[in-house]
Amino acid sequence: MSTRAAGPAIGLSTGVGYLKGVGPYRADLLRKLGIIVARDLLFHVPHRYEDASTIAPIASAEPGMDVTVLGTVISKGVIPTRKGLRIFQAVIRDQSAMIEVSWPGQPYLDRVIKKDDKLLLTGAVRFFHGRQLQPREMVNLGPEADGITEGRVLSVYPATEGLSFKVIRALIDAHIDALLPLIGEYLPARTLERANVPPLPEALRLVHRPRSIADAMRGMSRLAFEELFFVHILHRRARDLARETREGIGFVNKRDLTSRLKAVLPYELTNAQVHVTREIVKDMVSDRRMHRLLQGDVGSGKTIVALFAMLLAIENGFQAALMAPTELLAEQHARTFERLLAPLGVPVLLVTGSQSAAGRRAVAARMESGEAVIVIGTHTLVQGDTKFAKLGLAVIDEQHRFGVEQRAALGAKGSRPDVLLLSATPIPRSLALTLYGDLDVSVLDERPPGRLPVTTALRPGSARERVLTFIDREVEQGRQAYVVYPIIEESEKTDLKGATAMFASLSTGAFAHRRLALLHGKIPGDERDEIMRRFRDGEIDILVATTIIEVGIDVANATVMLVEHPERFGLSQLHQLRGRVGRGAEESYCILLGDVSPEARERLELFAGTDDGFEIARHDLRLRGMGDLFGAQQSGEKTFRYADPIRDEALNLLAMESAEELLRADPLLEKREHQAVRTALSERYPRALALFRVG
Ligand code: ADP
Ligand code: MG
């Protein structure tokens, strides 16, 4: 693209050691930051920006606040304390006031910070013989006035020990004018236009030398978009490739059993259920292996969708299996299926750990005979050496409750069965596709009509007695209740109430005249299932439990859910818990009880105000990150350098659509006008090229 005169000029791939201002020592330090060639310097972007709008006058800094201030050092020194700790202290001043700044345990700063240096400091203000700032972050701007308070933007770069932010900024400043013209655009113009992000050279200029913070953000949006766009291209291609190469069963949509089920179903399918069922049927009819995730809020009716898919397998003479995370849930599904399938003559078998050996052998025999049966079970389905002679479809309910190996093990039980995963943690489709690689994703974004929303309220600890009386009245009317605690046993380290002690206290106190039971993860599985069975059959009024009850349990007569210490739970988890009530015709209640911090109150009030699992999951994601919702392994958080797929949701959606559009037009990126993208992609992700090789 650029035609610079030949000569000793630097190129993008010149090693940083050859750049003016960098010797071997600095080159080593730069390497630590991932900066190896000149090009890397351009992509080493500021992690934050400051200008007059982000910097507070020192006079306004009050104890308890978290502030960023800019001031000149007017005095400094190291103070020893009686406990042997040495504290570096400085006093800084801006036009409004002075403040004492303190760095406990960092006496070496005395050599780094000079009188008259300008310091940009971020940290908490506390009260200690007056106002004192304890910085979390410091940028030493040196003695020269930097003018950032007059509207200039300061770009703050990630630095490392021995290589200050100032040196990095100076290096970038010194070379950016020579390097930027060498940077060419590789994304198609149409893609850029659609995403409304600037071309790469302009973006990099905006990022390094913004005139306003808005400028900088606009530049960043391009880098974030590109990253998301590339990930979607890779995942989309991986899915296409899997579909092309993953041989599977080509079922025939006979509309035999499935039509008969539709006829006996006591309700109409929602539009979302119809739509999603079609997506699944399309996968199953193709002779490629299905690998699909079905997401839907609690109560959106995923089970029946799975049943239609299973019947499609059965009417083709295959077997179908459904694996659930608890015995109770497996039993519940078996019951539902038996009821619906009895008129159709489809056998439903149950495999659980508490089954007798003889019973299990009988089921195993039918599985191995190849008879077209539906098998429902817990993880015992994949344990041992039982085989399916003709497994056509494997469904995994509450998929996040299983490990990767368990999920894979069920898929490996037959010979290449189609696989359907069900999940009740709904996240936006674009995000799911960012996270789940080569899975296809369907979303049930509608709930069956006529559900009463669960009345949700946050109550202070002082309302405890009234709340318990309320629950007692519900029980008096024949209803049942759950009382949930965050932990099993109380301990000295926290002042949290635990389920065990509270069970004892409630059964002798407020609910002495009621039938109570205790349920938590340390109770053996068979006892646990027995307790749940008794609760389901109405032999227990109030179940005192931990979050163990969060998945799938369907007891329509339970109308109250009391959660103590609600601030200890993620919103998505609370939403799952709340999903245990509101399953019948009676009005239901979810009461969050406790004295919580103002931040927690805000969060919990948002939860109380909405019934939409997508909105709740999104909020949780923003607040707690992906790791919390999916476990570190699935989260993929670390794969992004510029983008945050949660924060950048709209951009991510555009990136997904753009990637799909590009690959629809040119699946292998073979067209001339796409060579530049292809090259950029393979430079960024060396293993990507294999996905785009022909043949
Ligand atoms: P989840 O998606 O949480 O697994 P379920 O499949 O357990 O939800 O469905 C919740 C309840 O909704 C079940 O009792 C089911 O019978 C009922 N249901 C499912 N689809 C519909 C529908 N289209 N109309 C009315 N009720 C439905
Ligand atoms: Mg379910």
Side-chain angles (χ1 to χ4, degrees):
M1 178 178 172
S2 139
T3 51
R4 286 167 54 94
I10 57 168
L12 291 174
S13 47
T14 305
V16 279
Y18 298 99
L19 294 183
K20 200 161 168 258
V22 185
Y25 175 70
R26 276 190 182 163
D28 271 351
L29 291 171
L30 285 167
R31 189 183 309 276
K32 270 199 203 159
L33 293 169
I35 304 169
I36 294 154
V37 296
R39 182 181 191 284
D40 300 332
L41 207 51
L42 285 181
F43 284 85
H44 185 73
V45 303
H47 63 293
R48 63 191 180 96
Y49 296 94
E50 304 286 354
D51 74 358
S53 68
T54 57
I55 296 170
I58 288 174
S60 73
E62 300 282 348
M65 278 169 64
D66 204 78
V67 294
T68 296
V69 297
L70 175 70
T72 308
V73 177
I74 54 176
S75 69
K76 59 156 198 162
V78 174
I79 304 165
T81 64
R82 251 178 292 157
K83 284 183 187 150
L85 181 73
R86 295 171 75 212
I87 301 177
F88 175 68
Q89 281 193 346
V91 174
I92 63 163
R93 171 164 67 197
D94 67 6
Q95 283 171 346
S96 69
M98 299 190 294
I99 191 166
E100 184 179 273
V101 190
S102 163
W103 285 267
Q106 301 183 53
Y108 66 89
L109 284 176
D110 199 26
R111 293 190 304 273
V112 178
I113 294 172
K114 311 247 165 10
K115 191 164 173 290
D116 296 329
D117 277 353
K118 287 195 157 41
L119 305 182
L120 182 69
L121 303 169
T122 301
V125 183
R126 38 174 231 159
F127 191 83
F128 186 77
H129 310 305
R131 293 182 309 161
Q132 190 187 64
L133 178 65
Q134 284 209 357
R136 186 168 61 242
E137 199 171 338
M138 171 187 68
V139 176
N140 187 344
L141 299 167
E144 266 126 67
D146 201 75
I148 62 169
T149 47
E150 284 93 60
R152 262 191 64 193
V153 178
L154 179 74
S155 308
V156 184
Y157 290 92
T160 183
E161 208 181 319
L163 196 64
S164 75
F165 130 89
K166 272 176 72 184
V167 173
I168 293 173
R169 191 174 59 154
L171 272 176
I172 291 173
D173 256 351
H175 297 288
I176 188 169
D177 290 326
L179 290 173
L180 269 188
L182 306 180
I183 290 279
E185 179 56 73
Y186 36 77
L187 296 189
R190 208 184 127 61
T191 304
L192 290 178
E193 221 168 274
R194 177 174 186 177
N196 186 24
V197 294
L200 187 55
E202 187 192 339
L204 288 172
R205 191 180 51 76
L206 289 172
V207 157
H208 290 291
R209 289 183 169 165
R211 257 190 250 113
S212 64
I213 290 183
D215 259 8
M217 292 304 120
R218 189 167 151 67
M220 282 293 188
S221 74
R222 149 68 199 232
L223 299 180
F225 173 80
E226 172 179 321
E227 204 170 27
L228 294 164
F229 179 64
F230 280 171
V231 164
H232 280 294
I233 289 183
L234 293 179
H235 285 180
R236 171 66 197 253
R237 179 60 198 148
R239 283 197 297 279
D240 288 350
L241 198 66
R243 217 175 282 135
E244 284 162 25
T245 54
R246 225 168 20 199
E247 268 185 56
I249 305 158
F251 295 100
V252 177
N253 188 6
K254 300 188 172 161
R255 296 193 171 84
D256 169 17
L257 292 173
T258 50
S259 297
R260 286 166 61 197
L261 174 63
K262 217 170 279 169
V264 300
L265 216 53
Y267 47 75
E268 290 283 310
L269 291 182
T270 63
N271 288 333
Q273 284 171 320
V274 171
H275 175 76
V276 160
T277 308
R278 263 193 215 129
E279 286 180 333
I280 293 169
V281 169
K282 200 167 156 228
D283 277 2
M284 291 181 67
V285 164
S286 101
D287 56 3
R288 302 299 157 193
R289 214 174 155 184
M290 172 168 75
H291 207 52
R292 187 171 280 278
L293 174 73
L294 170 56
Q295 296 193 123
D297 205 343
V298 192
S300 60
K302 295 182 286 295
T303 318
I304 197 72
V305 171
L307 183 56
F308 273 105
M310 294 170 93
L311 285 183
L312 178 58
I314 301 286
E315 68 186 17
N316 278 264
F318 282 87
Q319 302 171 318
L322 183 147
M323 184 162 76
T326 64
E327 262 188 32
L328 197 82
L329 202 52
E331 268 182 25
Q332 197 176 282
H333 285 319
R335 242 170 224 247
T336 311
F337 286 9
E338 266 162 15
R339 210 177 46 229
L340 290 167
L341 299 184
L344 278 59
V346 177
V348 178
L349 311 180
L350 184 67
V351 177
T352 67
S354 58
Q355 214 164 17
S356 72
R360 217 179 314 170
R361 267 200 306 277
V363 174
R366 292 177 77 177
M367 283 159 64
E368 283 167 29
S369 76
E371 182 188 352
V373 289
I374 287 183
V375 183
I376 298 174
T378 55
H379 60 281
T380 42
L381 263 184
V382 296
Q383 282 171 344
D385 51 5
T386 45
K387 284 191 196 66
F388 289 87
K390 230 184 153 190
L391 186 60
L393 174 69
V395 180
I396 297 165
D397 194 19
E398 308 284 348
Q399 62 99 19
H400 66 286
R401 283 296 181 115
F402 293 97
V404 179
E405 303 80 28
Q406 285 174 315
R407 278 177 289 187
L410 186 61
K413 275 287 170 184
S415 62
R416 306 211 189 86
D418 281 357
V419 176
L420 181 64
L421 302 159
L422 309 184
S423 162
T425 304
I427 55 173
R429 205 178 99 88
S430 56
L431 181 58
L433 288 176
T434 321
L435 298 179
Y436 295 129
D438 70 350
L439 274 183
D440 287 297
V441 178
S442 292
V443 180
L444 271 183
D445 52 6
E446 181 186 356
R447 264 189 279 192
R451 296 272 167 80
L452 287 174
V454 177
T455 304
T456 306
L458 178 59
R459 294 281 174 263
S462 58
R464 206 152 192 289
E465 238 169 89
R466 260 183 299 141
V467 168
L468 296 183
T469 309
F470 173 79
I471 295 174
D472 199 58
R473 269 212 306 273
E474 283 286 304
V475 173
E476 189 61 46
Q477 288 165 30
R479 315 269 167 269
Q480 290 161 281
Y482 301 96
V483 180
V484 179
Y485 294 93
I487 51 170
I488 302 177
E489 307 282 352
E490 296 170 14
S491 84
E492 278 168 18
K493 275 184 238 128
T494 68
D495 50 8
L496 293 181
K497 295 188 185 110
T500 308
M502 287 312 292
F503 168 70
S505 136
L506 291 170
S507 3
T508 51
F511 299 132
H513 53 301
R514 303 292 176 201
R515 296 165 301 173
L516 270 66
L518 174 67
L519 194 71
H520 57 66
K522 283 197 184 150
I523 295 175
D526 44 351
E527 269 176 58
R528 235 190 280 158
D529 286 312
E530 185 49 34
I531 293 167
M532 274 313 303
R533 241 166 252 138
R534 282 169 48 217
F535 186 67
R536 182 191 62 203
D537 297 341
E539 292 162 25
I540 293 167
D541 302 312
I542 299 170
L543 197 58
V544 179
T546 57
T547 56
I548 190 149
I549 57 162
E550 85 186 23
V551 287
I553 306 300
D554 193 12
V555 179
N557 190 48
T559 55
V560 188
M561 161 81 46
L562 168 63
V563 182
E564 294 222 50
H565 301 295
E567 76 283 1
R568 305 289 297 194
F569 300 91
L571 296 190
S572 292
Q573 201 174 23
L574 284 175
H575 187 59
Q576 294 287 325
L577 284 169
R578 179 168 62 181
R580 297 310 113 224
V581 295
R583 302 193 145 241
E586 304 297 329
E587 168 144 35
S588 295
Y589 306 89
C590 175
I591 306 163
L592 312 174
L593 181 63
D595 299 312
V596 301
S597 70
E599 296 86 55
R601 162 171 295 276
E602 202 178 310
R603 211 159 54 82
L604 295 171
E605 269 165 6
L606 175 134
F607 168 76
T610 180
D611 200 25
D612 179 345
F614 281 86
E615 189 183 333
I616 289 167
R618 206 174 271 147
H619 194 77
D620 237 3
L621 281 166
R622 247 182 249 130
L623 232 58
R624 294 153 60 107
M626 292 185 271
D628 225 66
L629 265 185
F630 301 104
Q633 288 224 312
Q634 271 191 26
S635 81
E637 247 164 326
K638 290 287 171 295
T639 54
F640 294 101
R641 183 167 169 198
Y642 306 108
D644 174 341
I646 299 161
R647 180 198 63 198
D648 304 329
E649 190 182 331
L651 202 63
N652 193 22
L653 185 64
L654 279 170
M656 178 186 85
E657 289 169 356
S658 304
E660 283 175 354
E661 187 184 60
L662 178 70
L663 290 187
R664 250 198 315 275
D666 184 7
L668 291 172
L669 300 180
E670 291 168 309
K671 296 196 175 146
R672 260 186 77 145
E673 66 264 36
H674 297 147
Q675 284 318 296
V677 184
R678 190 187 162 113
T679 309
L681 189 67
S682 58
E683 275 169 2
R684 213 67 48 78
Y685 303 92
R687 270 170 299 171
L689 215 52
L691 293 172
F692 289 92
R693 218 160 268 143
V694 197

